[in-house]
Amino acid sequence: MRKAFQIATRNLWLSALLLLAACGSGQDAALSVVAIGSPATPFERGVRLPPAARLIRGATSEGIVAFDEQGQVVPALADRWIVTDDGLSYIFRLRDGTWADGSPLTAQTLRTALRETMASLRGTPLALDLAEIGEIRVMTGRVIEIRLAAPMPNLLQLLAQPELGIAPNGRGTGPMRLARQGDVAMLTPIAPEARGLPAVEGWAGHVRPLRLRALPAEQAVDLFNSGEADVLLGGRIEDFPLARSVGLIRGTIQLDPVMGLFGLAVADGQGFLAAPENREAVALAIDREALIAPFGLGGWTPTTRIVGTGVADDPGSIGERWAGLNIDERRAQAAARVAGWRRGHGNAPLSLRLALPGGLGGKFLFERLQADLEAIGVQALRVGADDDADLRLFEAVARYPRVGWYMNQLSCAGQRGLCSESADRTLEQAQRAIDPAVRAELLADAEAELTKANVFIPFGPPIRWSLVRGDVHGFATNRWNVHPLMPMAQRPK
């Protein structure tokens, strides 16, 4: 009896080992992707999705259009579209097909689902980005029109965002089908003919399943180092030192050339930070080049502007701040403001709480910021990323290259911390202006007002990185840090 049990146990272990071997080799092997995050994040729902959940949403719920691996807009529920000469009308022709429940995909049902999706975004910066959508009209059974109150040159990029994926009753149309196995998301490509597209001969041989899970950064890098993951996504600055570990001999660090916001948001406008000139003192003190030096990042460009470089509608009338001052002169001005404030408050010590992410990268940032503030007579206290704070690190990758994105992120509706209602009103006027010259002038005024308020202290563009094995197909760095899963599930031709 005991011997039979031992034989059965040995056979069970052999079967398990053979099964594991089959999962890691051969034509049917699933591509293993790990995203940085907590294990439950891939399955989160809502409108403020963490990176792993955005990957799942983009893979399982198509929008009118989508992104490819290069960050380019490609057809999805709509197979073609035109834009009128005045830029105020986008007309989409839908592909043949059905929704996940088998009901017909029509312009009417899409209009209803799109309006519901957009309504769910209320109260988010993305809703502000979409504010110029005036009307969604059904033209024929398979043609839908989006009419705008003012031109939106980057409307397609917005419609391709995972948050704009259409999922009536919580069920999207693909391009992949999700099955959850504990904390692992198993994603299988759906055959084209099942999505209303022309059949592809030998489809099964062109694709493979994909396995996605989310883990804390150190565990995710260890998984990649051990060969158990083919791709690691979701890297940010706090975890970048892990990417430079000696163990990464089989992988490649991929840095996305992103644009966006990376800096300190003023979370509490009490005490010293109540006055804009005192908030400016903190901004004056920071040596941005030294801040990033411990990370060894080549090509990173610091900035004192809220709006980043390369923005399409930047009027060019606002330049870098304090261009005529070196760091010592800037700190002298800042120290004088700190000393004056302290004299008016009984010479009590001045400290500020900085909410920063964890990880070695967070430690590097705090040490540099601590030294910068100490140079002007301010003690920096580090608190957790979600704790009460005076200044909070905020970073986000731009979804499209226009001034409006930057301003919307820091608007009062964005709820990042202190804000400027005046800047919000000026931006709203700019976005409704039809005359390009008037629009440019108002955009510059809006940025100037927000800059003067000193509610955000910019450092430069955010940092986004991935780890990708050389034999992985369907991954490419891009300006938007979008890495859809479906292209990675396609086998090289």
Side-chain angles (χ1 to χ4, degrees), residues 74-89:
V74 295
L77 295 178
D79 56 16
R80 68 194 74 170
W81 56 86
I82 60 172
V83 184
T84 56
D85 292 340
D86 60 6
L88 295 176
S89 176

Side-chain angles (χ1 to χ4, degrees), residues 148-220:
L148 307 177
M152 293 177 63
N154 297 101
L155 176 63
L156 293 175
Q157 279 181 273
L158 286 168
L159 293 176
Q161 300 296 325
E163 290 86 345
L164 270 295
I166 309 298
N169 300 316
R171 298 176 63 192
T173 59
M176 306 183 83
R177 185 175 291 110
L178 170 67
R180 182 172 181 176
Q181 299 178 358
D183 288 331
V184 177
M186 294 299 300
L187 293 152
T188 306
I190 302 173
E193 61 270 23
R195 297 167 52 221
L197 299 170
V200 174
E201 186 178 353
W203 168 256
H206 293 310
V207 296
R208 55 183 167 179
L210 185 146
R211 181 173 61 249
L212 172 74
R213 51 186 150 172
L215 293 171
E218 191 167 353
Q219 295 179 39

